Amino acid sequence: MTDLSPQAEEWERRYQTRSQLWSGRPQPTLVEVAESLPPGRSVDLGTGEGADVLWLAEHGWEALGLDLSPTAIARARDEAERRGQERAQFRVGDFLTDPELVPGSYDLVTAFFIHPRTAAGRQQFLARATSLVAPGGHLLVVSHAREVKGTNPGIGHGPSPVDPAEDERLLRSQSSFRPIRVGVEAGLFLRADGTRETRADAVVFGRID
C-alpha cells in the first residue's frame, strides 16, 4: 500500500479485514431517485464494492464507479463479471486530485457518505462533484446527519454530521443547482451480515442547469 494516500490506506486496511464490507444491495435513496430519471451516463463517487453502480447498469445506465481502495474496486469488478454486466465500469483513484480519472460529464452524479474532515474539504468535494454533472443532469449527495460511531476507519469516532441546508447553500453558491429534494430523512442501513439499522440521512438531490 506504499503508493496509496493515507486516506486510501485507511480504507484499504478496512476492506482487507473482511471478505465483504457492505451488504451488496443498492442504497434505497438511489433507487428512488434513479427510477424517476431516464437512463444515461452516471458516476458514483466512493463506490465501495459497487452495489449502486451495478444496480444502475442493470437498469440501463452506462455506470462508472470510483473508489480509493483497490480491494473494493477489485470486488466490484469481480461481481460485474460474475453478472455479465458490461455497462458497469470501475476505476481506482481520487476524483478530487486526478482530473483524468473521470472524463467528460454525466447525467447523474452520486455520492454516499463521503465526509471530508474539514469545511474546506467539503466545499472542494461538492464543487468537484458538481463539475461532473452535464447541463440538465442531476446530483445526489447523501451523508450522515448524525454522528455515527466507528464509521471512519482508523479513528475512534464517526464523521461530523452534515446539515443538508448547508450543502444546498454551498451548491447554490458554486453552480446553477436547483434543489428537488433536500432534508434529513430516515435511512435504512443494511449490513453485510443482513442486519438492519435506521439512521438519519442528510439528502441533497437536485438538477444542474
Side-chain angles (χ1 to χ4, degrees), residues 157-174:
H157 56 83
S160 299
V162 169
D163 178 356
E166 177 62 16
D167 272 4
E168 179 188 353
R169 185 193 69 77
L170 286 170
L171 288 166
R172 283 178 176 272
S173 71
Q174 296 167 348

Side-chain angles (χ1 to χ4, degrees), residues 15-204:
Y15 278 104
Q16 289 182 355
T17 62
R18 299 181 186 177
S19 60
Q20 182 180 343
L21 191 58
W22 310 115
S23 71
R25 301 179 181 89
Q27 296 285 343
T29 307
L30 169 78
V31 174
E32 293 171 11
V33 163
E35 285 181 338
S36 71
L37 302 173
R41 297 181 73 228
S42 67
V43 61
D44 185 36
L45 310 175
T47 197
E49 291 159 333
D52 290 343
V53 169
L54 288 164
W55 186 91
L56 287 165
E58 289 171 347
H59 289 77
W61 293 78
E62 295 295 328
L64 172 64
L66 311 175
D67 203 274
L68 296 171
S69 167
T71 295
I73 292 298
R75 291 176 186 173
R77 287 172 175 164
D78 287 348
E79 183 63 15
E81 183 177 0
R82 187 187 71 80
R83 300 186 192 186
Q85 187 47 259
E86 296 181 355
R87 288 195 184 96
Q89 301 294 319
F90 298 94
R91 296 176 186 157
V92 178
D94 188 343
F95 67 92
L96 290 174
T97 59
D98 184 358
E100 297 182 0
L101 187 67
V102 202
S105 55
Y106 297 82
D107 303 299
L108 176 64
V109 175
T110 59
F112 283 83
F113 309 115
I114 293 180
H115 282 254
R117 295 175 182 178
T118 65
R122 186 150 194 92
Q123 187 169 2
Q124 179 193 17
F125 154 62
L126 291 174
R128 179 61 176 141
T130 303
S131 74
L132 299 174
V133 183
H138 293 81
L139 174 67
L140 171 63
V141 177
V142 179
S143 310
H144 294 299
R146 302 285 185 272
E147 184 174 354
V148 179
K149 298 295 183 182
T151 297
N152 281 348
I155 57 178
H157 56 83
S160 299
V162 169
D163 178 356
E166 177 62 16
D167 272 4
E168 179 188 353
R169 185 193 69 77
L170 286 170
L171 288 166
R172 283 178 176 272
S173 71
Q174 296 167 348
S175 67
S176 57
F177 179 77
R178 302 179 72 175
I180 296 173
R181 177 175 171 180
V182 175
V184 176
E185 303 178 5
L188 178 63
F189 177 69
L190 301 174
R191 299 184 182 278
D193 62 7
T195 58
R196 300 184 175 202
E197 179 181 336
T198 300
R199 293 181 174 176
D201 291 347
V203 176
V204 179

